[in-house]
DNA sequence: CTTTAGTAGACTATTTTGGTCTATTAAGGA
DNA sequence: TCCTTAATAGACCAAAATAGTCTACTAAAG
């Protein structure tokens, strides 16, 4: 398995660091890759994907880099995961009925659709701002 | 991806058919494989896994087969998915802190732990009896 | 003692994951 | 105008997971 692969995990770490270091200048991926111990060439592909999804903006050339396209409160983790994992839902047949050609009435579909909804509801409800909170106090 | 692979999908279809056809005699996998259009040898491996997990009981030899080990109301979909996908949680680092050796305080972990909980809560709350309801009326 | 059906485990093809490599384009600064 | 920095594009690749298959064996019914 994984619903959440290194793509989402690395991607979220990138976004949190961009949120932390947000300012007037864009942030180059090389520094993020070093700080986060993520292969830079791999990270650059993830950043390009997030840019295509409208989550990041970039500036090329010397002193260039990436910055968040929106405020952290306005970036849902769902949009990040969907962009990086490249799929709209848990099961293909949830979207595309043609895949489950055989049985007209699929009795397992409601279970998986419900799971899909539970996952999406959770991820939609968490923003980058929530994730980027410096310290989470578990003792409360 | 998938959190839910053919293992869980085929497995749930097997369990629903076993629930439907429950009676005095055990049900042979061959008939289920034909009805559900699932490769029999593959299905037999899934059934063996579900037996090892305590979800199914079996009888060998002619007229043998499988039956549910418990009532459908007492079989959670979570136990089925966990048995067949063979993992206890979404992320290894949720269970095993040794994997995330680098950063002492991981800021992405709360997000993924929350997702893991959302998934497990949902799957724990759905039983085979819920899944095996003959017709689900979506029009309500 | 033959047939049916579960059991055990090695084996395999395909896809996905997690990258790498090379080359190019754009912008800043000397 | 070069030189350097850094994003962009896309082919490439190794390892792991997925989705099976194959063979041989064991147990029970008739």
């Amino acid at each position: 398995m994984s619903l959440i692969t290194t793509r989402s995990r690395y991607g979220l770490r990138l976004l949190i660091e961009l949120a932390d270091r947000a300012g007037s200048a864009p942030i180059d991926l090389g520094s993020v890759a070093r700080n986060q111990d993520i292969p830079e060439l791999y990270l650059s592909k993830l950043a390009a994907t997030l840019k295509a999804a409208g989550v990041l903006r970039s500036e090329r050339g010397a002193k260039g880099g990436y910055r968040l396209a929106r405020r952290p409160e306005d970036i849902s983790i769902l949009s990040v995961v969907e962009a990086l994992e490249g799929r709209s839902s848990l099961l293909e047949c949830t979207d595309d009925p043609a895949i489950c050609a055989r049985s007209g009435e699929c009795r397992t579909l409601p279970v998986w659709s419900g799971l899909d909804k539970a996952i999406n509801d959770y991820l939609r409800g968490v923003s980058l701002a929530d994730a980027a909170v410096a310290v989470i106090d578990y003792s409360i």
Side-chain angles (χ1 to χ4, degrees), chain A:
Chain A
M1 91 109 181
S2 250
L3 171 64
I4 302 299
T5 68
T6 54
R7 290 193 288 272
S8 294
R9 298 212 299 271
Y10 291 174
L12 181 54
R13 284 161 64 191
L14 164 65
L15 294 181
I16 289 177
E17 181 157 345
L18 291 183
D20 283 346
R21 297 170 59 191
S24 52
I27 293 144
D28 69 291
L29 278 190
S31 65
V32 177
R34 281 187 298 279
N35 289 345
Q36 297 289 334
D37 203 21
I38 295 170
E40 183 174 349
L41 285 163
Y42 190 44
L43 189 61
S44 72
K45 288 186 21 172
L46 303 180
T49 301
L50 289 170
K51 185 192 175 181
V55 174
L56 294 181
R57 286 187 297 121
S58 69
E59 284 165 55
R60 299 179 66 149
K63 301 284 176 186
Y66 285 92
R67 64 175 87 237
L68 300 177
R70 284 169 278 138
R71 295 178 308 160
E73 307 86 66
D74 296 329
I75 298 174
S76 78
I77 305 301
L78 178 63
S79 66
V80 175
V81 170
E82 280 184 345
L84 292 172
E85 304 294 346
R87 98 198 93 70
S88 51
S89 75
L90 183 66
L91 293 177
E92 294 78 16
C93 62
T94 307
D95 296 320
D96 185 357
I99 290 178
C100 246
R102 187 180 147 78
S103 51
E105 71 289 349
C106 176
R107 297 167 72 198
T108 62
L109 190 56
V111 176
W112 308 131
S113 295
L115 175 59
D116 190 53
K117 178 166 163 30
I119 291 171
N120 282 280
D121 285 352
Y122 172 79
L123 290 176
R124 190 167 23 244
V126 181
S127 73
L128 178 57
D130 298 324
V133 171
V135 176
I136 284 92
D137 188 348
Y138 289 104
S139 66
I140 302 174

